[in-house]
Amino acid sequence: QLQLVESGGGLVQPGGSLRLSCAASELILNYYAIGWFRQAPGKEREGVSCISSSGGSTNYADSVKGRFTISRDNAKNTVYLQMNSLVAEDTAIYYCAAYQTLVRDMCVITTSRFRSWGQGTQVTVSS
């Protein structure tokens, strides 16, 4: 199973920015689609964004469109989530996840599709 480790979480003020990183234990180029999910207290886990194995296709939840950007650096086996214009509703534990696929030009953010998960990193947006 692919090992994933998130980092970059922390406390940030509303309107601020934060970049999360997801480091993978093996090469991900042409093998894995990567997604970011989050879970706030009392709520179900929700998909935030995903990026295809080729890096050429991304999807975002409506709540983060225009504010979050997902990217990947396959040479470093790392995926990033750049979060801008943060609001209190973004407060949650953020998880990186992956699924192996031969489909290189698309991805989905359906929780059940992902088989490898990181441990999560806390993001708190508060003044």
Side-chain angles (χ1 to χ4, degrees), residues 51-114:
I51 186 166
S52 63
S53 62
S54 69
S57 181
T58 59
N59 285 309
Y60 297 92
D62 289 341
S63 59
V64 306
K65 286 181 180 178
R67 299 189 298 119
F68 290 11
T69 302
I70 190 170
S71 62
R72 60 193 295 162
D73 185 341
N74 288 315
K76 297 181 178 179
N77 293 323
T78 301
V79 175
Y80 304 97
L81 184 67
Q82 179 67 47
M83 305 185 295
N84 299 326
S85 302
L86 286 163
V87 296
E89 290 74 22
D90 295 318
T91 296
I93 300 175
Y94 283 71
Y95 299 89
C96 177
Y99 64 88
Q100 193 168 14
T101 179
L102 296 177
V103 181
R104 301 183 65 250
D105 60 350
M106 66 88 68
C107 68
V108 296
I109 45 175
T110 302
T111 304
S112 61
R113 186 72 174 84
F114 291 80

